[in-house]
Amino acid sequence: MRVERYLENPIITPEMVKPYHEGFEVIGAFNAGVARYNGEVLLVLRVAERPKSDDPAIVKAPVFDAKEGRVHVFDFRLDDERYDYSDPRVIRDRSTGQLAYLTSLSYLRLARSKDGYHFSIAENPLVYPSTPLESFGIEDPRVTQIGEIYYIYFSVVSPKGIGEVLVSTKDFVTITRHGMIFAPENKDVILFPEKIGGKYYALHRPVPKGVGDPEIWIAESPDLFHWGNHRHLFGLRKGSWDSRRIGGGAVPIKTEQGWLELYHGADQKDRYSMGAVLLDLHDPAKVIARSEEPILKPEAAYEVNGFFANVVFSCGALVEGDRIRLYYGVADQSMALAEFSLAEILDSLSSGVYS
């Protein structure tokens, strides 16, 4: 299958984003939700900022204090054996293996473009942490337009876990918060863009701690705010590119053959790729086909090198006729763009095997 990476990739880099916090540096502008609004392409960027440090022996951890409405920064020595610093994104407690702090604070910021290739980036956040459940930041938004309203789901991180919060907007200026809809631990919530059989549907990815794996589920709702009838949709595949974890990516695309979902999968080495799955048009809880091989995997220099290498991760795409314009984060650092033929993706699924 042909993948046409934009020649000027990456289209947004951290260097293009002015820090919001004094004394911080932007280390990531990536994993953006995508929307069309008033003739423009909008990217709802995840922007990650890190406190600057002059001491290489010190790792800093920013934490948003909802009561005081400001960010505190805590210092950790690299020789402190209580903690594991092997993943540059997090500080883990060695005694439990669990996340103790993040090394950056993420929030959402808007990038606008007339042509979909060249973007201007707002100086202030569109959505910023505001509650104790967002003290470690907010991440990886997905934007679904239903009528005149744009619904934005994103992950929120705190010592209580990672859950999914919903906000909505009509103009990308005024934001209405609807609170945490999918409680910890859950990520990668994506709304379908219309009712199906009189119900709303969403993909989500619970992260079981006792038994089970991080796999994709589907739920239904009468009103977008109350969800039930949760069902397991599809899972990991041993020895494959999606053997360790999977999660929904772009908002499902309606085709004559079914709902096309572009999802991410990671292998045992945490190499993230993008694949596709086709869901029944009238019953999206039914899987019709699934790609055996990734439609996009880390190959370009900006994908295999960076803050967290070997990652392509999409939260949104646009469709124009047969063209899918996939916006995707690379190496947890920047944004890139690739284009595909919708028909070629569907054809690749027809030759695949679902199990």
Side-chain angles (χ1 to χ4, degrees):
M1 181 167 39
R2 288 172 297 174
V3 179
E4 298 178 13
R5 288 176 170 82
Y6 184 48
L7 292 178
E8 296 181 27
N9 274 345
I11 57 173
I12 295 176
T13 66
E15 291 75 21
M16 298 166 65
V17 184
K18 182 180 178 181
Y20 177 69
H21 303 92
E22 186 175 350
F24 282 52
E25 58 185 343
V26 175
I27 61 169
F30 59 112
N31 294 3
V34 183
R36 294 184 197 274
Y37 176 74
N38 273 356
E40 291 184 313
V41 175
L42 304 185
L43 297 185
V44 180
L45 285 170
R46 171 183 170 184
V47 171
E49 295 193 19
R50 177 174 64 187
K52 291 182 179 177
S53 176
D54 296 327
D55 186 345
I58 297 293
V59 176
K60 293 181 176 291
V63 179
F64 176 76
D65 186 323
K67 285 186 178 179
E68 298 183 11
R70 69 185 186 92
V71 177
H72 297 283
V73 177
F74 300 94
D75 290 352
F76 294 84
R77 290 195 59 83
L78 278 174
D79 58 4
D80 188 335
E81 296 182 352
R82 293 175 299 172
Y83 298 106
D84 176 2
Y85 304 98
S86 58
D87 185 332
R89 302 171 299 180
V90 302
I91 300 170
R92 292 192 183 280
D93 185 324
R94 286 190 186 277
S95 65
T96 64
Q98 290 195 326
L99 181 154
Y101 292 91
L102 297 182
T103 56
S104 63
L105 184 75
S106 290
Y107 59 89
L108 307 184
R109 205 148 148 179
L110 202 60
R112 298 176 177 274
S113 173
K114 293 290 186 184
D115 62 8
Y117 299 97
H118 304 89
F119 288 85
S120 60
I121 302 164
E123 292 200 354
N124 293 310
L126 175 68
V127 184
Y128 190 80
S130 62
T131 77
L133 294 177
E134 300 167 359
S135 58
F136 289 170
I138 57 184
E139 305 175 351
D140 302 346
R142 274 79 168 187
V143 185
T144 300
Q145 181 181 3
I146 301 177
E148 295 180 349
I149 301 177
Y150 295 82
Y151 294 92
I152 307 173
Y153 262 108
F154 49 81
S155 301
V156 300
V157 191
S158 78
K160 301 300 182 185
I162 303 175
E164 284 278 331
V165 162
L166 176 66
V167 302
S168 61
T169 182
K170 288 185 176 180
D171 56 9
F172 290 91
V173 175
T174 301
I175 298 292
T176 301
R177 283 182 168 264
H178 303 288
M180 182 174 284
I181 307 295
F182 288 81
E185 185 137 348
N186 212 317
K187 300 183 74 174
D188 302 324
V189 173
I190 303 161
L191 290 174
F192 284 68
E194 62 182 64
K195 280 187 172 180
I196 304 168
K199 302 171 186 174
Y200 294 104
Y201 284 84
L203 303 175
H204 63 113
R205 203 280 297 280
V207 186
K209 297 297 185 183
V211 65
D213 294 308
E215 301 178 325
I216 296 178
W217 290 53
I218 191 167
E220 59 187 51
S221 168
D223 59 5
L224 290 172
F225 306 110
H226 301 85
W227 292 89
N229 198 17
H230 298 267
R231 283 164 283 176
H232 180 267
L233 189 60
F234 63 97
L236 307 178
R237 295 182 290 196
K238 287 186 177 179
S240 182
W241 60 274
D242 51 3
S243 61
R244 185 165 189 172
R245 66 177 67 84
I246 53 176
V251 173
I253 298 166
K254 190 176 186 179
T255 75
E256 292 182 354
Q257 290 92 332
W259 291 98
L260 179 66
E261 169 61 13
L262 307 178
Y263 72 97
H264 66 263
D267 65 15
Q268 297 301 312
K269 294 182 178 179
D270 272 339
R271 183 177 190 249
Y272 281 77
S273 302
M274 295 296 301
V277 64
L278 190 65
L279 309 176
D280 186 271
L281 198 57
H282 305 291
D283 180 9
K286 180 181 178 182
V287 176
I288 298 173
R290 182 176 174 184
S291 54
E292 281 291 292
E293 299 296 329
I295 63 168
L296 181 68
K297 54 188 177 182
E299 293 179 330
Y302 48 84
E303 297 166 346
V304 301
N305 301 302
F307 182 69
F308 194 76
N310 287 313
V311 173
V312 296
F313 187 104
S314 178
C315 296
L318 296 177
V319 182
E320 295 178 357
D322 183 54
R323 305 301 295 171
I324 292 181
R325 189 182 292 178
L326 184 72
Y327 293 92
Y328 62 105
V330 291
D332 277 9
Q333 185 167 325
S334 302
M335 284 299 299
L337 171 62
E339 297 193 21
F340 302 84
S341 160
L342 174 59
E344 288 187 10
I345 292 179
L346 292 172
D347 287 345
S348 74
L349 294 176
S350 65
S351 61
V353 177
Y354 172 67
S355 61

